[in-house]
Amino acid sequence: GATATAVRIAPKVQAVQTGGGFTFTAQAVDATGAVLPNTPIAFSSQNPALATGDAVTGIGKAGAQKGTVGIEARLLTGPVDVGALTIQLPPPSLTLVAGSGQEGTPGAALGAAVIVQVATVDGVGVPGMSVTFTASQGGTATPASATTDANGAAQTRWRLGPVGGTQTLTVASPGIAGSPIVVSAEARAATPVRLVWAPQPPATLVPGGTFSVAVNAVDATGATVVTYAGAVSLALGTAPS
């Protein structure tokens, strides 16, 4: 290798994701361009904060930051060549921010919004991504679809279906890692405590007239218990004079 006048690194450009491995190779050449095997070549990173590697093999690993770093191949006599290593963040992913594990009454809206975020691995939100929300067991999501905001967030309000037990909301963003997300909530039937008119019957009737009667079962808060299916008895009498 004493006649080596230059070194050639390969590839000249390489791209990896953060935390990914890479390999560079190099050859020493003389003034005529002939390859000189077994010539000692040392590899090094121009910015160890972005990437580090083995000085002998040229095998290395990217760090957790995005950026571009030069990987040098150097002869002991001084000549050097540089390859460019571009470190990219992984594709964005969909994650749940809030709204899981809630409890509510069948048919009622849950207290907290379901919020998701599309973000890169370093937590930077990705705006403009389409997100859909699909409720099970007859529930509804309002809105049923949304576009992520400047922080990569999208949200919906979830109204449970009319049945008790575990219900789910499926959140999806096509082509995004982590999609779909299935959010669960527990629908616990409230205890009816009284009946209320729906609506109030007319106060007066003509002789022989007819009217319809409808009542709702409500809980202690006055909320309608939509799952109530018990018998209701009706007694008719005359108004006191």
Side-chain angles (χ1 to χ4, degrees):
T3 59
T5 58
V7 59
R8 296 172 181 167
I9 195 170
K12 291 294 290 182
V13 177
Q14 187 174 169
V16 296
Q17 292 184 1
T18 52
F22 63 86
T23 301
F24 282 91
T25 61
Q27 293 178 322
V29 296
D30 62 17
T32 68
V35 175
L36 302 174
N38 303 318
T39 301
I41 299 172
F43 295 91
S44 63
S45 169
Q46 293 180 340
N47 186 350
L50 289 179
T52 57
D54 187 274
V56 176
T57 64
I59 298 173
K61 184 177 181 179
Q65 302 177 36
K66 62 181 178 180
T68 300
V69 58
I71 303 297
E72 296 183 350
R74 185 183 298 272
L75 298 180
L76 299 182
T77 53
V80 62
D81 194 16
V82 180
L85 178 68
T86 299
I87 303 168
Q88 304 168 332
L89 294 174
S93 60
L94 179 70
T95 58
L96 178 66
V97 176
S100 181
Q102 298 187 72
E103 294 185 358
T105 302
L110 293 174
V114 175
I115 306 173
V116 295
Q117 183 186 38
V118 178
T120 58
V121 69
D122 59 353
V124 177
V126 181
M129 304 300 294
S130 177
V131 179
T132 61
F133 304 92
T134 306
S136 69
Q137 284 89 21
T140 58
T142 305
S145 63
T147 300
T148 56
D149 61 18
N151 298 315
Q155 63 178 284
T156 193
R157 304 297 303 207
W158 181 9
R159 181 177 292 275
L160 297 174
V163 297
T166 301
Q167 300 191 24
T168 58
L169 180 75
T170 301
V171 186
S173 185
I176 300 299
S179 174
I181 295 173
V182 178
V183 184
S184 297
E186 196 70 19
R188 300 191 183 279
T191 302
V193 296
R194 68 181 187 276
L195 299 174
V196 296
W197 296 111
Q200 180 78 25
T204 60
L205 289 171
V206 298
T210 62
F211 66 96
S212 60
V213 173
V215 293
N216 287 333
V218 298
D219 63 15
T221 69
T224 300
V225 181
V226 296
T227 55
Y228 180 71
V232 174
S233 61
L234 178 66
L236 299 177
T238 58
S241 57

